[in-house]
Amino acid sequence: MSLTAGIVGLPNVGKSTLFNAITKQNILAANYPFATIEPNVGMVTVPDKRVDFLTELYKPKKTIPATFEFTDIAGLVAGASKGEGLGNKFLSHIREVDAICEVVRCFNDSNITHVTGSTDPLRDIDIINIELILADLEIVETRIAKMGKKARLSNDKEALAEANLLEKVKNCLLNNTPIRSLDLNEEEMKILKAYNLLTIKPIIYVANVSEEEVNNDNEYVKQIREYADKENSKVVVICAKIEAELAELDDDERDEFLKELGIEESGLDKLIKESYALLGLSTFLTAGSDEVRAWTFKNGMKAPDCAGIIHTDFKKGFIKAEIMSFDDLHKYGTELKVKEAGRMRLEGKDYIMQDGDICYFRFNV
């Protein structure tokens, strides 16, 4: 299941430094090669201590963690919605991602020129958001013009519902508010999905701070948190410079460096986890002497659909899923003891997969 978060931001906010750290980070263990799919796409592992535990327990021939893609999107300037700078390229690339990670500069440095002349994170956020809003508004108004009158003159309930929804979205955008701030139901989301709108995409604000402030929210970060709270978005604080240094170290050196800085986990690990959660993703696991592997699935998926992530035949011929939870395996220590405790179970086609399920799928084709 391939899902991508796009990294956006104004020039000189630390976007490229962060992406360079992403493409160097976790040049995955020898049995799972690092992949850069294109020059602007980097694939990283999703940090998961459960995979480490299973690897230690089963001693498999290979271990394959879950992965996540980040796309580096061309820098944006005011006027992008009208084609200024690399505006058209920016907008086309951002339409292709599932979530947005917006890097915002939260440090002062006279040696690094800010494109607008000074550090002001809320202004920077507004520059990008307004361009996305204007691009969405153009699409919505064009669609309303094409279908609005026709919908009202006809008795087509679906067309009328869509027209009313588009009017609601238009009013939202005219108030300089992203669509994701609206309380939309499942049916409304389904209608709007066809338009591939930009401001409906979930967003994480990545506050890029100096090395000295990585452990404490400065005033800039506090401003972003207040802003994000209003639209129920997340904020991840990082120091892109530190992330670039961490990317050059091996695991032991990396852990020691983090310890010296008084940081429990890197900003990049936090960003990966938050991006994963933002898209409603979870992990099920398969484990044995040949392979330990983490598989990404969408929350709410049923067992046969998850089986199909491994192989289409698994879904086609699904019979049952033999499942134990990671927590039970961690508690009891071995599969045998999990079974003896009555914690191993067989689940059918209607079972909704849970994060941390360790699965063996029974199928017949």
Side-chain angles (χ1 to χ4, degrees):
M1 179 174 289
S2 179
L3 293 166
T4 304
I7 300 177
V8 306
L10 298 178
N12 292 344
V13 297
K15 182 172 69 72
S16 295
T17 304
L18 175 61
F19 185 75
N20 288 340
I22 285 172
T23 55
K24 289 179 184 176
Q25 185 260 1
N26 245 335
I27 299 180
L28 309 177
N31 53 22
Y32 190 78
F34 169 75
T36 299
I37 301 166
E38 295 174 8
N40 66 331
V41 179
M43 185 178 288
V44 295
T45 60
V46 178
D48 195 334
K49 291 181 179 179
R50 297 173 299 190
V51 174
D52 299 333
F53 177 87
L54 293 175
T55 299
E56 185 65 29
L57 180 65
Y58 286 92
K59 304 290 191 297
K61 295 173 185 174
K62 59 181 177 180
T63 296
I64 303 178
T67 59
F68 193 85
E69 289 179 13
F70 284 97
T71 300
D72 187 24
I73 294 174
L76 176 141
V77 294
S81 60
K82 303 299 180 185
E84 293 292 330
L86 295 172
N88 292 330
K89 184 178 180 182
F90 173 91
L91 295 173
S92 66
H93 283 179
I94 203 170
R95 289 192 198 285
E96 297 170 8
V97 302
D98 302 289
I100 300 169
C101 296
E102 184 173 331
V103 182
V104 187
R105 179 166 161 175
C106 293
F107 63 89
N108 296 310
D109 189 336
S110 58
N111 295 316
I112 302 176
T113 305
H114 193 288
V115 69
T116 57
S118 62
T119 302
D120 185 339
L122 296 187
R123 177 203 54 211
D124 294 355
I125 289 172
D126 279 342
I127 288 172
I128 289 182
N129 283 355
I130 286 171
E131 295 305 324
L132 301 185
I133 284 169
L134 289 172
D136 280 352
L137 191 58
E138 183 178 356
I139 291 172
V140 170
E141 287 182 331
T142 300
R143 181 59 177 166
I144 288 173
K146 285 183 178 179
M147 72 169 296
K149 188 175 181 181
K150 181 181 177 182
R152 284 167 177 75
L153 290 175
S154 72
N155 291 320
D156 188 333
K157 291 183 179 180
E158 288 186 6
L160 189 57
E162 183 175 350
N164 290 336
L165 173 60
L166 289 174
E167 286 290 350
K168 181 166 75 170
V169 168
K170 177 184 173 181
N171 291 331
C172 172
L173 295 169
L174 287 172
N175 286 319
N176 284 337
T177 304
I179 301 168
R180 61 179 165 270
S181 298
L182 289 174
D183 185 16
L184 299 170
N185 61 39
E186 190 175 336
E187 185 60 32
E188 289 172 327
M189 289 292 288
K190 186 178 178 181
I191 293 170
L192 294 177
K193 187 177 181 181
Y195 296 109
N196 206 10
L197 297 165
L198 301 171
T199 66
I200 202 169
K201 296 180 186 291
I203 191 168
I204 294 173
Y205 295 103
V206 184
N208 185 18
V209 301
S210 66
E211 294 168 277
E212 295 77 23
E213 296 179 309
V214 71
N215 283 319
N216 299 295
D217 282 4
N218 61 27
E219 286 305 312
Y220 296 139
V221 174
K222 290 175 183 176
Q223 290 174 22
I224 295 174
R225 289 197 190 280
E226 288 177 11
Y227 183 97
D229 283 346
K230 293 175 184 176
E231 59 176 41
N232 296 316
S233 296
K234 294 282 188 178
V235 178
V236 173
V237 178
I238 67 157
C239 172
K241 188 176 180 182
I242 288 176
E243 299 304 321
E245 292 174 14
L246 286 169
E248 302 288 348
L249 305 176
D250 63 32
D251 287 346
D252 290 340
E253 291 174 326
R254 189 169 175 268
D255 291 343
E256 186 60 33
F257 187 28
L258 287 172
K259 190 176 179 180
E260 289 175 9
L261 293 170
I263 302 172
E264 289 187 11
E265 65 178 341
S266 73
L268 182 52
D269 282 354
K270 290 178 185 175
L271 179 59
I272 295 167
K273 288 179 180 178
E274 288 291 357
S275 300
Y276 199 72
L278 186 69
L279 290 169
L281 303 177
S282 291
T283 301
F284 74 87
L285 305 136
T286 52
S289 57
D290 284 337
E291 178 184 278
V292 164
R293 183 161 183 169
W295 304 85
T296 301
F297 71 97
K298 274 275 201 182
N299 292 339
M301 286 179 69
K302 293 184 178 180
D305 296 317
C306 287
I309 292 172
I310 299 176
H311 197 287
T312 52
D313 284 349
F314 284 25
K315 179 179 180 179
K316 194 183 300 181
F318 181 88
I319 300 172
K320 292 284 184 182
E322 188 174 306
I323 295 175
M324 61 179 165
S325 73
F326 173 82
D327 289 343
D328 283 339
L329 181 59
H330 188 264
K331 176 181 178 180
Y332 294 106
T334 67
E335 279 189 38
L336 179 60
K337 289 182 179 178
V338 171
K339 288 179 180 178
E340 289 173 347
R343 301 295 295 174
M344 186 78 75
R345 60 192 194 277
L346 284 177
E347 300 288 359
K349 292 181 178 180
D350 291 330
Y351 176 71
I352 297 174
M353 197 70 76
Q354 301 298 308
D355 184 59
D357 279 347
I358 303 172
C359 308
Y360 175 77
F361 294 106
R362 298 181 183 179
F363 71 104
N364 182 31
V365 177

